[in-house]
Amino acid sequence: MLVSGVWLVNAAVLLAFVLVPSLHFELPAAVHTNLHTLFETVSIIVSMLVFSAGWFTFSREGRSNVALLCSIFLGVAILDFVHLLSYDGMPAFFIPAKDGKSISFFLAARLLVAGALLAIAFQPWNRRIGDKERHWLLGLSLVFALGVSVYGLAEPAIMTWFYVPGAGLTTTKIAVEYLVIVLNLAAAVGFYLRMRAPQPYPLVPLFAAACLMALSELCFTLYATFHDQYSIVGHVIKVEAYLFVFRAIFIEFLEGPYRQLESARADLVESEEKYRLLFEKAPDAYLMANADGSFHAANPAASAMFGIARQDLWRIGRNDVTSDPRLAGFLEERSRTGFARGELMLRRGDGSTFLAEVSSTTYTDSRGRQMSSTFVRDITGKRQAEEEVLRLNATLEQRVRDRTAELRAAYEDLERLSQVMAHDLRSPLLAIEGFAGLLMRDASPLLDERQKGHLDRIRAAATRMADMIDALLEFADVSRSTLKMQTLDIAAMADKALWSCQKRDPQRVVKAVVQRPVNLEGDLRMITLVMETLIGVAWKNTARNQNAEIVVGAESGPAGESVCFVRYNGTETDAAAVDQALEAFPSLRTSGESTRSDIVLDNMRLVIARHGGRVWRESTPGRGAIYRFTLGQVPH
C-alpha cells in the first residue's frame, strides 16, 4: 500500500503538470542550483549508505545480488558527485560548468542503477559468491564511474551531445532516457512476477525503486530548461527511488535477523508444544532423573503405572521403586556407553511388583548438569503370554501325536465297519435276489403279469443295491490308497475303455478317435478309473445319436500345462446329472435314489483332486459336450 500510494501521488503530480499548462513554472537559477545541490547531496548520502550497509554485512551473507547492488551504488555516488560539481551554477570543476556537461554523468549513473535492478530481478537472490568475485564487481563499478568522469571532464564535445543551448534536449539524450525507462520497467516486471510467490528478500521496495526510477526518467525527457517543474519533480522522485533501495538493504540486514529470531522463537514454541504433547500423551512411563537417581520429572503414564501421584514421584528416586539386583549392572552399562536397555522388577506404590522393560540414556542439560531420561514399559502381560506360548509349544508335539493316533484309530474302525456292513448287506441281498428268482421260476404259471413285474422290480433293486455296495467299497479304496506315480499312456487307456464299451454294446456303431501320443504322470489304477468313467459317460450320452462320435486327446492350457479331453456329440440328456456329479460331495441326490454311476463320478472327481488337478465340462445343448481334466505335480 505504501508503494502504491507513493507511486500514484508522484504520477498524479506529473500528470497534472502535463495536462495543466498553468501549473508550469521556472525557478530562478540560484534557487534551482541550491535545490539541485540538496537533492543530489541526499542522493549521494543514500548511495553511500546502500554501499556501506551492503558491503560490510556481505562478509556474513555472501550473496551475489547484495554485492552487485552495493558495488553499483558506490559508482553511482561517484557519478552523482561529479554531476553535482559540474552542474550549471556550481564553481568551476576542472573546467567551467556548462549545461550539457553534467548530463553525461547523470545518464551514466541512471544506466548503472537500471542495469543493477534488472540483473537482480531475474537472477536468484541467494546465489553465493566469494570475496574475489565481490572485489571484481567493486573494481568494475569504480572503473566505469571514474572512466566516465574523466572522459566527461576532458572531452569538450560531450557538452553538446545531450543539450544544445537555445535548442534544448537532443535526440540522443531523450533516446538514452527512454532506454533507461525500458530497463527500469523490465526490472519492475521481473520483481512483479516474483511477488506471486513468497521470496527470501525484500521484493516490494526494489519493485518500488524500479517503478519510481522509470517515472523519474520520464520527467527528465520533458523539461525544456534545467530550472522548470519537470526537473524538480524528476529529482524528487529519484531521491525517493534511492530511499526505497536503501530500505531494501536496511530491511534485509537490519530487520532480517529479527525476523529470523522471531521465526526461530515460533519454531521453538511449536517444538516445545510437540514435546509437551509427546510427554503427556505417551503410553509408556517416562522419567527424568538427576545424577543421584532422584526423579526430576514424570509423565501421567508413569504416575498411573506406579500408582503414585506425579508430585510424589518427583520427591522420590529409583531406589524407592526397585530393589532388583540387576539394577547395578544396568547403571554400570549406562555409565559406560551412555545407554542401557534391560528388564527390571519394579515396585508400585501399594507394594505390588511388576516386570518392566527399561530403556535409559544420559545427557547433559543446558546448565551442565548430568541427567538421565528413562522409558518404562510394563511387560507382565507380554511375558505371561510368552510363557503360555512356550508351554503350549512344549506339549504341542505330544498333543499332535495323540490326536493323530485317535484319528488313525477312528479311521481304522470306520474301515472295519464299512467292510463288515458291506459283508452283512450282501447276504440278505443275495437271499432276496435268489428267492425272487425261485419264485419267478417255480410260480411263474400261477402269477399274472402285474405280479411278475413286482418280482422283476425286487430283483432289479437288489442288483442295484449290490452295485452300490461295490461302488462304495471302491470309493473307500480310492480315498485311502497311496498314489504310485508313473508315466501313463492315456491313449492306450482310452482304447481299452472304448473296447470294453463296444464289447458291452456290440450293436452300437460309434466313430472313436484317439489322438496320439498322450502321456501324463499319474497313478495307473486311478487314472484308468477316470478314463473309464469319462468314456462311459460319453458312450451313454451318444446312445440316441445315429452318427455318434467320441474323440480323446490332449492340448495345452493357458499356463502351458497338458489338458486331456473327452469330446462327444451326444444329446446331453444327462448333462445336469453329470454336472452335479463333478461338484463337491455329496453329488447327485435330488431324486432320492443313488446309483452306482453317481458314486463312480464322485470317484473320478476324488482321483483328479488327489493328483492336484481339476476337471470341468463345456457343452452346447443338443450338440454334445467336452470334458477336460488336468493332473498337477504330486510328490512320488
Side-chain angles (χ1 to χ4, degrees):
M1 293 179 62
L2 175 64
V3 170
S4 300
V6 171
W7 193 88
L8 288 174
V9 168
N10 286 289
V13 171
L14 178 59
L15 186 62
F17 283 132
V18 172
L19 298 179
V20 183
S22 60
L23 295 177
H24 293 188
F25 63 87
E26 185 172 345
L27 296 174
V31 175
H32 177 79
T33 300
N34 291 331
L35 285 177
H36 179 268
T37 302
L38 174 63
F39 294 144
E40 291 300 331
T41 301
V42 173
S43 299
I44 294 168
I45 293 173
V46 174
S47 298
M48 291 304 298
L49 288 174
V50 171
F51 166 72
S52 59
W55 185 263
F56 292 106
T57 55
F58 176 83
S59 58
R60 63 184 178 87
E61 295 292 336
R63 297 176 182 175
S64 61
N65 283 326
V66 176
L68 175 62
L69 198 62
C70 66
S71 299
I72 289 299
F73 266 85
L74 177 60
V76 170
I78 294 172
L79 290 170
D80 281 342
F81 179 71
V82 177
H83 164 72
L84 173 62
L85 296 181
S86 303
Y87 199 73
D88 184 33
M90 297 295 289
F93 181 60
F94 292 103
I95 60 175
K98 294 293 183 179
D99 293 333
K101 184 174 68 170
S102 63
I103 296 178
S104 59
F105 310 123
F106 179 85
L107 290 177
R110 303 295 78 75
L111 282 171
L112 274 179
V113 175
L117 292 177
L118 184 62
I120 292 171
F122 289 97
Q123 70 173 350
W125 176 263
N126 288 325
R127 189 170 66 88
R128 306 289 177 171
I129 62 173
D131 286 341
K132 183 178 180 180
E133 292 83 355
R134 179 173 65 130
H135 287 98
W136 269 105
L137 287 174
L138 182 62
L140 290 174
S141 177
L142 289 174
V143 168
F144 178 82
L146 294 176
V148 171
S149 300
V150 172
Y151 183 79
L153 294 173
E155 175 58 51
I158 202 172
M159 296 181 183
T160 59
W161 287 4
F162 307 110
Y163 180 79
V164 177
L169 301 178
T170 66
T171 304
T172 303
K173 196 272 185 184
I174 296 176
V176 174
E177 292 285 6
Y178 279 120
L179 173 61
V180 174
I181 292 173
V182 170
L183 293 177
N184 281 294
L185 290 178
V189 170
F191 290 128
Y192 176 77
L193 293 176
R194 286 194 169 188
M195 281 194 290
R196 298 183 179 182
Q199 295 294 328
Y201 68 102
L203 192 61
V204 176
L206 294 176
F207 170 73
C211 292
L212 290 173
M213 287 297 295
L215 192 62
S216 172
E217 296 305 318
L218 181 61
C219 293
F220 293 127
T221 64
L222 299 175
Y223 66 83
T225 69
F226 288 104
H227 308 148
D228 67 7
Q229 71 282 349
Y230 293 117
S231 178
I232 299 298
V233 173
H235 280 88
V236 171
I237 298 176
K238 185 194 74 169
V239 171
E240 293 173 357
Y242 282 20
L243 288 173
F244 273 108
V245 173
F246 175 71
R247 176 176 173 79
I249 296 296
F250 178 81
I251 291 174
E252 177 68 13
F253 293 107
L254 296 183
E255 294 185 4
Y258 292 100
R259 291 197 307 270
Q260 294 174 4
L261 180 61
E262 187 63 29
S263 177
R265 183 181 293 111
D267 292 341
L268 179 61
V269 171
E270 182 180 359
S271 176
E272 289 177 347
E273 180 64 17
K274 290 179 180 178
Y275 169 76
R276 187 189 66 79
L277 291 175
L278 177 64
F279 182 80
E280 297 290 336
K281 304 299 182 182
D284 294 333
Y286 178 68
L287 299 166
M288 296 177 63
N290 300 312
D292 60 358
S294 60
F295 295 140
H296 178 71
N299 67 344
S303 177
M305 183 178 294
F306 287 98
I308 303 174
R310 294 177 67 181
Q311 59 269 23
D312 295 332
L313 270 176
W314 294 344
R315 291 195 292 265
I316 63 177
R318 57 174 175 256
N319 293 329
D320 297 308
V321 296
T322 183
S323 56
D324 195 317
R326 293 174 290 183
L327 177 61
F330 182 87
L331 295 177
E332 190 278 330
E333 181 183 356
R334 191 184 68 179
S335 176
R336 179 170 46 86
T337 64
F339 174 79
R341 173 180 292 173
E343 295 179 0
L344 295 174
M345 190 64 70
L346 303 182
R347 184 169 52 251
R348 296 187 178 92
D350 59 4
S352 61
T353 59
F354 64 96
L355 184 63
E357 183 181 63
V358 182
S359 301
S360 183
T361 184
T362 59
Y363 66 96
T364 303
D365 68 3
S366 58
R367 300 180 182 178
R369 298 176 300 179
Q370 291 296 319
M371 306 288 291
S372 66
S373 61
T374 303
F375 285 93
V376 180
R377 176 174 295 178
D378 187 347
I379 60 171
T380 304
K382 175 184 175 183
R383 182 52 52 85
Q384 291 175 349
E386 291 175 351
E387 291 174 353
E388 179 65 17
V389 170
L390 292 175
R391 187 184 65 78
L392 292 175
N393 287 340
T395 60
L396 178 60
E397 187 175 350
Q398 182 60 42
R399 287 187 288 116
V400 169
R401 285 197 295 267
D402 294 343
R403 183 60 178 165
T404 302
E406 293 175 2
L407 291 175
R408 184 179 294 109
Y411 181 80
E412 292 175 353
D413 291 342
L414 182 61
E415 185 177 357
R416 286 193 296 270
L417 177 62
S418 64
Q419 296 289 343
V420 170
M421 288 182 62
H423 181 271
D424 291 345
L425 287 174
R426 285 180 186 277
S427 297
L429 286 175
L430 290 175
I432 292 172
E433 184 180 8
F435 284 115
L438 289 175
L439 282 174
M440 179 65 74
R441 186 190 65 186
D442 297 339
S444 178
L446 304 176
L447 301 175
D448 57 23
E449 293 300 323
R450 182 169 174 273
Q451 292 170 335
K452 291 179 180 179
H454 290 333
L455 286 175
D456 287 338
R457 293 182 64 182
I458 291 173
R459 293 180 64 188
T463 300
R464 187 165 61 251
M465 178 62 74
D467 287 344
M468 288 184 61
I469 292 172
D470 292 339
L472 286 172
L473 291 174
E474 183 179 345
F475 180 81
D477 182 59
V478 167
S479 63
R480 68 173 179 266
S481 60
T482 304
L483 297 180
K484 298 179 181 179
M485 304 299 291
Q486 64 186 73
T487 302
L488 306 177
D489 187 350
I490 303 298
M493 292 181 179
D495 288 337
K496 186 175 180 180
L498 288 167
W499 179 81
S500 298
C501 292
Q502 187 67 59
K503 186 177 180 181
R504 288 195 303 270
D505 294 328
Q507 74 281 1
R508 290 272 310 272
V509 177
V510 178
K511 180 182 178 182
V513 178
V514 180
Q515 299 176 358
R516 303 172 187 276
V518 182
N519 297 318
L520 292 175
E521 290 287 324
D523 183 274
L524 175 62
R525 184 171 62 87
M526 293 187 179
I527 301 304
T528 299
L529 174 63
V530 170
M531 294 305 300
E532 289 176 349
T533 301
L534 290 178
I535 291 178
V537 170
W539 190 272
K540 175 183 176 181
N541 289 340
T542 56
R544 299 181 184 180
N545 194 334
Q546 297 298 322
N547 299 313
E549 181 181 18
I550 299 174
V551 179
V552 180
E555 59 191 9
S556 295
E561 73 277 18
S562 294
V563 180
C564 289
F565 66 86
V566 176
R567 184 175 66 244
Y568 57 91
N569 60 353
T571 58
E572 284 302 286
T573 55
D574 296 332
V578 174
D579 283 344
Q580 292 183 28
L582 295 177
E583 298 296 330
F585 298 111
S587 58
L588 185 62
R589 300 290 182 268
T590 57
S591 64
E593 178 179 334
S594 298
T595 64
R596 173 182 173 82
S597 62
D598 302 331
I599 301 173
V600 168
L601 288 169
D602 281 342
N603 276 343
M604 180 189 69
R605 175 201 165 277
L606 178 61
V607 167
I608 296 297
R610 290 196 62 190
H611 280 77
R614 61 191 185 98
V615 57
W616 69 99
R617 167 182 170 275
E618 301 171 4
S619 65
T620 303
R623 299 182 60 185
I626 179 170
Y627 287 85
R628 292 185 171 90
F629 69 90
T630 63
L631 299 180
Q633 298 296 324
V634 180
H636 288 252

